[in-house]
Amino acid sequence: MKQLIKVGARLLYDYAIILIVFIVFLYPFIGLTGESFPKWLPLYSLLLFVLLFLLIYNDMKTLAKKEVKPQYEMNPYPLKGLLHGLISIVPTSIIAFVLSLLRFEDQIVDRLRELAIDGLFGPVYFIVAWMNKSIPAYITAILVIPVVAMLGYLAGYYGINIMEKILKKDDTVQEKPFTKSPWNPTLEQKHSGKKKKKKKASSGQ
């Protein structure tokens, strides 16, 4: 259990790092997009999610590769990554749930509460936006993290390397033997030379 919590904390750290990047570059992005910011925000979130995906996927794949080795005795199983991911989203889910229960009479403060929830979901906000910010949208968005963790762990557990398969190139190129053209003059010279040698040999006999 201790190991599960430790890995879950690692995944939460990965999420926190990408969330900080999301917030830091959010203000320059607002200045760049101007009034079109709400329209472009899901795309900005999607770009950060790609980074989050790669970070979590690689961490879980590396962990699974280590755990499947008998000498570590880590008791690996295919869906262990999903469990790690579910543990990692507990703090975020609790904070978002508590904020959703709060209500403020001041509209400005209440609006800040809503922005805090959306900001907390920053790297997966594109899912929330595309599902019209409904309750299932927030649930789906946060559950994406365990799914990514599961995929990464499965890749390491079964030795699947998707990137290598995509980028792999066939280095063994079969070279065809070079055939000279019959119109090549050097070829004609060689044939004529062979004929002369045959004539000399026959005359010598």
Side-chain angles (χ1 to χ4, degrees):
M1 188 63 184
K2 184 179 178 181
Q3 180 65 17
L4 291 174
I5 295 174
K6 183 179 178 181
V7 176
R10 170 65 189 179
L11 297 180
L12 179 62
Y13 174 78
D14 290 344
Y15 185 85
I17 291 296
I18 301 300
L19 181 59
I20 291 171
V21 174
F22 176 87
I23 295 172
V24 168
F25 289 97
L26 184 62
Y27 295 101
F29 186 75
I30 293 173
L32 182 65
T33 55
E35 295 181 355
S36 301
F37 169 72
K39 177 183 176 182
W40 290 100
L41 181 57
L43 179 60
Y44 173 71
S45 171
L46 179 59
L47 292 175
L48 270 295
F49 173 74
V50 172
L51 296 178
L52 178 64
F53 180 95
L54 294 174
L55 193 60
I56 292 178
Y57 185 91
N58 288 328
D59 281 352
M60 294 306 297
K61 183 177 179 181
T62 302
L63 175 67
K65 283 183 175 180
K66 177 182 176 182
E67 290 190 351
V68 294
K69 295 179 180 178
Q71 62 266 32
Y72 290 105
E73 298 181 351
M74 300 296 291
N75 187 30
Y77 48 91
L79 294 181
K80 194 174 184 180
L82 180 63
L83 185 57
H84 287 310
L86 289 172
I87 292 173
S88 72
I89 64 172
V90 169
T92 307
S93 302
I94 292 174
I95 295 171
F97 180 71
V98 171
L99 288 174
S100 66
L101 293 178
L102 297 176
R103 291 294 183 272
F104 299 97
E105 294 182 0
D106 191 327
Q107 291 184 354
I108 296 176
V109 177
D110 200 57
R111 177 57 180 161
L112 289 175
R113 176 190 63 83
E114 293 177 2
L115 291 175
I117 296 174
D118 291 343
L120 190 63
F121 282 77
V124 290
Y125 177 78
F126 68 98
I127 298 174
V128 175
W130 290 345
M131 295 180 67
N132 298 319
K133 302 182 72 170
S134 59
I135 293 176
Y138 288 96
I139 295 173
T140 303
I142 198 64
L143 287 177
V144 167
I145 306 302
V147 171
V148 174
M150 178 187 69
L151 293 175
Y153 194 90
L154 285 172
Y157 185 87
Y158 289 110
I160 301 170
N161 200 327
I162 298 174
M163 294 306 296
E164 277 189 9
K165 289 182 179 180
I166 294 173
L167 300 176
K168 187 178 180 181
K169 294 181 179 179
D170 188 8
D171 296 330
T172 58
V173 180
Q174 294 181 354
E175 296 184 358
K176 294 182 179 180
F178 176 73
T179 306
K180 289 187 177 182
S181 171
W183 303 103
N184 193 327
T186 57
L187 191 63
E188 292 181 358
Q189 290 176 2
K190 287 183 178 180
H191 281 302
S192 61
K194 288 181 181 179
K195 289 179 180 178
K196 289 180 180 179
K197 288 180 180 179
K198 286 182 180 179
K199 287 181 180 179
K200 288 182 180 179
S202 59
S203 61
Q205 293 173 356

